[in-house]
Amino acid sequence: MYPWAPVEVPKISPSQGVPEKLSLTDSMSGELVAVGPEEGTARMYVCGITPYDATHLGHANTYLAFDLIGRVWRDLGLEVNYTQNVTDVDDPLLERARETGRDWEELAEDQIELFRSDMVGLRVIPPTHYVGAVESIPSVLRLIEGLLPSGLVYQVDDSEHPDWYFETAAAPGFGRISHLGEAEMIKLFAERGGDPDRPGKRHPLDCLLWRFARPDEPSWGSPLGPGRPGWHIECTAIALEHLGVQFDVQGGGSDLAFPHHDMCDAEAVVATGQPLAQAVVHSGMVALQGEKMSKSKGNLELVSRLRNKGADPMAIRLALLDHHYRSDWEWTDAELEQANQRLARWRSVLNNDATLPAADTIAEIRKALRSDLDAPRALAAVDAWVAASLAVEGDDATGGAEIAAAVDALLGIKLDTLG
Ligand code: 5CA
Ligand code: ZN
């Protein structure tokens, strides 16, 4: 388990007339559904980074969306078991290490460290379990063993590289997350790390469970032969181990709906008889220069680059939260500029002697977030309070401290520091 510094969350008093449930758009049903238990522990798995390059604003946007979910659950009085993986061995990481002449483990460690410091800067509450693929190999192997009796696991007939595969498309309900047809699936599978054309597979959509050792790649001994885990089984195993069956929310960016989330779900259904999660939630894609920001294309704006140039992390957070979590949008420098101005306005009013009472605004923030995580509407509620407070006269400080605590607890924006 990789350690991650804690983030403090202030306690705020409850509001009247606000729904006592968080509703989110579930990719399986396509509908707004209530997520999380009535009481006890809410369980969420979010797909973590592949640590071969620095955190860009697209990653940050995704992790902020799921951070808000955890904050809303905590505010509803629930405990949160938030599990996130880090894909600390996989093709893109090994390729980047080879290209740059670096040791793959050192590259991963450096990028994980940078990611965590970016997340801490953005006041993302750490996952309960932040778990690597490598340390999870025993649980990956146990899960594959559990899949064996289904008859859907097989080794390709390749004397040099007898890799292990899973007949994904045979799993009950396969495709219920992406809702794609087979031809589209095969096309996307090829584009997103899959191998539909691999000779010897029973079906083009079968996914790799255990990649047999290659001479120039790291590998681990196992009853399946020496090798390393495939990508999808990594997340399925980590999620089931740390959250149990059919947990509340599985999440990640919308680029993961297919193949990744459909394939994880297929593995879980065959292994446990139940879907991996009760709801699957996807965040939108952030673009730069007209294309999805991506490490492989190199069109990136990095959180660390902005921070090194002196950007206030709270302004970065505010800029990202001003877009609804499901929308696809394009980053420009103007986003940060506007967020800086907004933050300055909010901070200046908090220093005023008199402001409006806070209760209605805090109820508005809660309502907005509990209704499909509408952060832009929550920010607009704070704007309205700030604008109205500017007109308040006298020296009777009223709602300022409560607003600051609510904006911190619910939105993760700390107003009393300059970042
Ligand atoms: N390690 C796998 C998941 S198990 C992976 O996809 N890693 S990643 O580093 O490529 O992406 C990490 C997370 O950021 C994923 O949830 C992905 O959906 C999200 N993400 C990647 N690019 C963007 C983007 N441009 N906008 C929003 N989210 C993004
Ligand atoms: Zn994943």
Side-chain angles (χ1 to χ4, degrees):
M1 188 122 47
Y2 291 100
W4 185 325
V7 170
E8 291 219 2
V9 183
K11 283 262 168 274
I12 51 174
S13 0
S15 304
Q16 303 297 317
V18 178
E20 287 298 315
K21 268 281 178 190
L22 166 62
S23 297
L24 294 172
T25 302
D26 164 36
S27 299
M28 287 190 286
S29 63
E31 287 174 1
L32 207 57
V33 297
V35 295
E38 294 289 328
E39 54 183 15
T41 303
R43 298 170 299 157
M44 172 164 73
Y45 184 84
V46 176
C47 285
I49 57 160
T50 305
Y52 68 91
D53 208 336
T55 326
H56 59 62
L57 290 175
H59 301 131
N61 193 59
T62 286
Y63 298 115
L64 286 189
F66 293 96
D67 183 56
L68 288 187
I69 296 177
R71 286 174 184 273
V72 173
W73 274 337
R74 284 180 181 87
D75 184 48
L76 285 164
L78 298 169
E79 300 285 320
V80 178
N81 178 346
Y82 175 20
T83 299
Q84 188 182 127
N85 72 310
V86 48
T87 309
D88 57 3
V89 62
D90 201 8
D91 300 345
L93 170 65
L94 299 175
E95 275 160 28
R96 180 65 60 91
R98 246 191 317 268
E99 283 161 18
T100 54
R102 292 198 62 187
D103 176 75
W104 67 276
E105 285 173 292
E106 267 177 38
L107 173 62
E109 260 173 48
D110 285 356
Q111 296 310 327
I112 293 166
E113 178 51 37
L114 184 60
F115 171 69
R116 272 176 309 186
S117 68
D118 285 342
M119 291 298 110
V120 171
L122 294 175
R123 295 185 65 77
V124 169
I125 300 173
T128 324
H129 304 283
Y130 186 48
V131 194
V134 171
E135 65 182 297
S136 305
I137 287 174
S139 86
V140 166
L141 291 167
R142 276 194 301 276
L143 181 59
I144 298 176
E145 201 178 284
L147 289 169
L148 286 174
S150 69
L152 299 177
V153 173
Y154 64 96
Q155 234 176 336
V156 284
D157 185 13
D158 176 333
S159 54
E160 236 183 300
H161 306 129
D163 303 324
W164 291 83
Y165 280 85
F166 174 66
E167 278 189 72
T168 322
F174 176 63
R176 67 175 137 218
I177 294 171
S178 69
H179 308 284
L180 296 172
E182 189 173 285
E184 183 66 10
M185 281 183 174
I186 292 175
K187 185 170 153 275
L188 272 182
F189 192 41
E191 288 169 13
R192 296 179 176 172
D195 54 358
D197 300 324
R198 169 87 194 262
K201 281 180 26 168
R202 294 179 186 166
H203 188 287
L205 290 173
D206 293 353
C207 73
L208 181 70
L209 293 178
W210 187 254
R211 180 174 158 93
F212 212 82
R214 311 293 199 262
D216 55 345
E217 290 181 7
S219 62
W220 290 264
S222 90
L224 305 172
R228 60 179 166 95
W231 173 30
H232 315 299
I233 197 79
E234 161 197 348
C235 281
T236 316
I238 295 175
L240 289 172
E241 176 178 342
H242 294 281
L243 296 167
V245 292
Q246 223 187 5
F247 49 88
D248 297 291
V249 167
Q250 182 189 13
S254 59
D255 59 335
L256 296 186
F258 195 83
H260 190 47
H261 288 163
D262 265 332
M263 294 197 167
C264 291
D265 181 62
E267 292 165 347
V269 165
V270 173
T272 71
Q274 283 166 294
L276 185 57
Q278 295 179 32
V280 184
V281 173
H282 288 120
S283 52
M285 289 291 110
V286 182
L288 187 72
Q289 295 149 359
E291 262 196 284
K292 174 194 153 188
M293 223 180 260
S294 91
K295 290 182 282 204
S296 51
K297 291 198 198 101
N299 58 330
L300 307 176
E301 183 54 270
L302 304 180
V303 176
S304 46
R305 192 187 297 146
L306 291 176
R307 290 172 71 205
N308 288 339
K309 284 199 295 195
D312 179 343
M314 292 297 93
I316 302 174
R317 184 165 177 125
L318 194 56
L320 298 174
L321 291 186
D322 201 23
H323 298 268
H324 189 268
Y325 80 96
R326 284 190 292 112
S327 65
D328 297 327
W329 56 282
E330 179 156 344
W331 173 264
T332 61
D333 291 342
E335 299 275 344
L336 192 58
E337 193 37 49
Q338 281 162 17
N340 272 321
Q341 289 169 11
R342 196 176 208 177
L343 203 52
R345 224 167 32 242
W346 290 8
R347 283 180 173 143
S348 77
V349 169
L350 287 176
N351 289 331
N352 286 1
D353 288 338
T355 54
L356 280 190
D360 291 351
T361 303
I362 295 175
E364 271 307 308
I365 297 172
R366 283 185 163 125
K367 259 189 233 165
L369 292 178
R370 290 177 194 180
S371 158
D372 206 18
L373 225 55
D374 195 342
R377 203 174 105 205
L379 302 186
V382 181
D383 282 339
W385 179 86
V386 164
S389 290
L390 281 173
V392 175
E393 290 188 0
D395 55 6
D396 252 3
T398 43
E402 283 170 77
I403 290 286
V407 166
D408 184 355
L410 298 170
L411 294 162
I413 293 168
K414 207 162 166 56
L415 293 170
D416 56 359
T417 61
L418 291 170

